[in-house]
Amino acid sequence: MRRTVLKTLVAGVAGALFTLPALAQKPVEVEFYYPVAVGGPITKIVDDMVADFQKENPGIRIKPIYAGSYQDSIAKALTALKGGTPPQLAVLLSTDMFTLIDEDAIVPIDGLAKSDADKKWLGGFYDAFMQNSRTGGHVWGVPFQRSTIVMYYNKDLFKQAGLDPERAPGTWAELVEAAKKLTKKDAAGNVTQWGVEIPSGGAFAYWLFQALTTPNDAILMNEAGNQTYLDKPEVIEAAQYWHDLSAKHGVMPKGTIDWGTTPKDFLEKKAAIIWTTTGNLTNIRKNADFPFGVAMMPKQKRGGSPTGGGNFYIFKSGTPEQQQAALKFAQWATTPERAADWSIATGYVAVTPAAWETDKMKKYAQEVPAAAVARDQLDVSVAEFSTHENQRVTKVLNDALQAILTDAKPAKQALTDAQRESERILRSYK
């Protein structure tokens, strides 16, 4: 009898031991929202990245969900949050930080990254990118696909216009003079080639505007995200300059210019100079059939551009295991080697100085000097416009800029009205 009981106990223990590893091996699943329309080449890059990570970390399964544009992605993330099924990890705009905090959607990354190695990792990013990643004494997002605005110019068209193809316009005045020489008209007086195009349509007008306000030594908001400075004289002066490129100087199309039209017009030689994200570098490199240059923003009182692009955010709704798995993926994706790979594949700026010290990044910077322009501009870059109630406040500014560029309102009136409205929206956050 005792022997039978003992046998049963031994069998039970053995069975338990046999089933334990199977339970332990069940991978931690992490849903990962990524902002790109399905089917683009970036989708494959992310899929490959996830596959590589899972080979090295079989205990974690990352499930990418391609959520469309950044605007689609934040809308879907917040809808999922309210429905009780948010992702555990997402790449969303760095400027979505205040919105995600207000919605109680995310956890501070520095609350999860507690070891000395974690803290060293968090301290390894370019400070210009961290300005949109921290507030209230905490780090809420981790820089991933980040950018600045740069100026692309067609060297062949510069030569034809009698301009030095190796020297981009360095000041506002030089930009106007060069753009006048680069603007061409046909016999009927219709413009066939624009001197310059700065996109102003859609969601990103405010961002391009910061490429004018920053060189004019104007900051548009405070670090706490509860105060804007839209009616300052330097801000109005920057808006007037933008307006005058078309209305006074005739070197840029009138009205608003769509974001997607700008690189297309550049590649089709309809625009000699464009301002757009460094994230367009790979696209332009692959598709331009002419030599082109990349330069920093032209100066007025100083140099500078806003930073831009997306951060990793970890959602509060994840289990502790999911949050740690999400942190591990964010750390893995931003290691020097991975950050270098991502930058080379996409054109975004590698987010740590250590990434630029890798052999592959040094080689890339030698082969494609344009890639280093955005990195060097980080020394004079500022935080992208971001506040509480970010989408509402940004829309107020975008609407004001469109009113200025379409001659619906003078610059001073449009921005004074925008400041008044933004103060009304932000009143409860002060």
Side-chain angles (χ1 to χ4, degrees):
M1 174 73 179
R2 282 173 65 191
R3 190 175 295 168
T4 308
V5 170
L6 195 60
K7 267 187 180 175
T8 306
L9 280 169
V10 168
V13 169
L17 288 172
F18 183 75
T19 57
L20 268 174
L23 287 170
Q25 280 171 6
K26 189 180 180 199
V28 178
E29 292 201 357
V30 174
E31 281 197 349
F32 170 41
Y33 276 25
Y34 184 80
V36 68
V38 176
I42 243 175
T43 312
K44 184 180 185 318
I45 298 168
V46 175
D47 284 342
D48 290 348
M49 194 167 77
V50 165
D52 288 346
F53 173 78
Q54 288 177 166
K55 272 182 208 158
E56 293 175 31
N57 298 275
I60 300 171
R61 185 168 296 149
I62 305 289
K63 184 183 173 190
I65 296 169
Y66 297 109
S69 68
Y70 277 121
Q71 285 71 31
D72 294 336
S73 299
I74 183 72
K76 285 178 184 173
L78 294 178
T79 301
L81 178 73
K82 290 183 170 98
T85 56
Q88 290 78 52
L89 179 68
V91 168
L92 299 167
L93 283 172
S94 62
T95 53
D96 288 327
M97 177 179 69
F98 287 111
T99 301
L100 293 164
I101 293 168
D102 292 344
E103 295 286 347
D104 199 26
I106 55 173
V107 291
I109 306 272
D110 54 6
L112 299 173
K114 291 178 178 172
S115 72
D116 288 345
D118 290 341
K119 286 171 185 169
K120 188 180 175 191
W121 165 70
L122 263 188
F125 296 94
Y126 281 107
D127 188 68
F129 291 141
M130 294 306 288
Q131 288 175 32
N132 276 110
S133 307
R134 62 186 179 225
T135 190
H138 285 294
V139 175
W140 296 88
V142 174
F144 175 54
Q145 57 176 41
R146 298 299 301 272
S147 57
T148 67
I149 299 163
V150 289
M151 181 162 59
Y152 297 80
Y153 65 98
N154 183 319
K155 291 186 175 182
D156 281 351
L157 299 183
F158 265 54
K159 267 189 210 166
Q160 289 168 26
L163 296 164
D164 182 350
E166 301 308 321
R167 188 180 175 278
T171 66
W172 282 9
E174 286 178 5
L175 179 63
V176 170
E177 289 312 304
K180 282 179 180 175
K181 290 176 183 173
L182 291 159
T183 301
K184 289 183 182 173
K185 294 181 180 179
D186 62 17
N190 300 310
V191 174
T192 56
Q193 177 184 298
W194 290 104
V196 61
E197 284 187 5
I198 301 173
S200 52
F204 291 116
Y206 75 89
W207 192 48
L208 276 298
F209 185 46
Q210 280 189 277
L212 291 159
T213 55
T214 306
N216 208 31
D217 209 15
I219 297 294
L220 297 183
M221 76 291 169
N222 66 353
E223 193 180 298
N226 60 10
Q227 176 69 52
T228 59
Y229 311 112
L230 308 182
D231 59 351
K232 297 290 182 201
E234 297 82 3
V235 180
I236 294 164
E237 188 184 349
Q240 190 64 49
Y241 176 83
W242 195 359
H243 168 269
D244 287 351
L245 287 173
S246 57
K248 182 179 173 183
H249 304 300
V251 297
M252 189 173 78
K254 286 192 174 181
T256 55
I257 301 167
D258 286 340
W259 173 260
T261 300
T262 318
K264 185 170 174 285
D265 281 358
F266 185 66
L267 292 169
E268 291 174 1
K269 300 169 195 160
K270 291 177 184 171
I273 299 171
I274 61 163
W275 291 13
T276 187
T277 170
T278 46
N280 262 322
L281 177 59
T282 300
N283 166 40
I284 290 171
R285 274 184 66 217
K286 282 182 180 171
N287 295 300
D289 61 359
F290 52 84
F292 68 91
V294 176
M296 297 187 198
M297 290 296 96
K299 296 177 183 178
Q300 176 66 347
K301 295 175 183 171
R302 51 161 284 184
S305 160
T307 59
N311 280 349
F312 279 117
Y313 294 102
I314 297 174
F315 279 67
K316 189 176 263 192
S317 53
T319 64
E321 293 77 17
Q322 286 174 318
Q323 289 178 355
Q324 284 300 325
L327 176 70
K328 191 166 192 178
F329 180 69
Q331 288 175 323
W332 180 91
T334 54
T335 58
E337 291 289 327
R338 293 284 164 192
D341 288 341
W342 181 257
S343 179
I344 293 163
T346 63
Y348 285 99
V349 185
V351 289
T352 62
W356 290 90
E357 290 302 314
T358 61
D359 289 342
K360 64 180 81 171
M361 206 67 201
K362 284 179 180 173
K363 185 175 174 228
Y364 177 61
Q366 276 185 330
E367 290 170 1
V368 188
V373 172
R375 175 201 64 190
D376 295 343
Q377 190 168 240
L378 289 175
D379 290 341
V380 287
S381 290
V382 300
E384 184 176 356
F385 185 73
S386 178
T387 65
H388 291 282
E389 299 282 352
N390 192 54
Q391 286 166 312
R392 288 175 69 198
V393 176
T394 300
K395 185 178 185 305
V396 167
L397 177 52
N398 280 344
D399 288 350
L401 293 170
Q402 295 203 359
I404 293 163
L405 293 169
T406 57
D407 281 324
K409 282 185 186 179
K412 187 173 182 180
Q413 185 195 335
L415 289 166
T416 301
D417 292 349
Q419 177 62 22
R420 190 184 307 115
E421 180 59 14
S422 73
E423 283 179 1
R424 188 189 67 75
I425 294 168
L426 294 171
R427 196 171 294 139
S428 62
Y429 294 94
K430 289 182 182 172

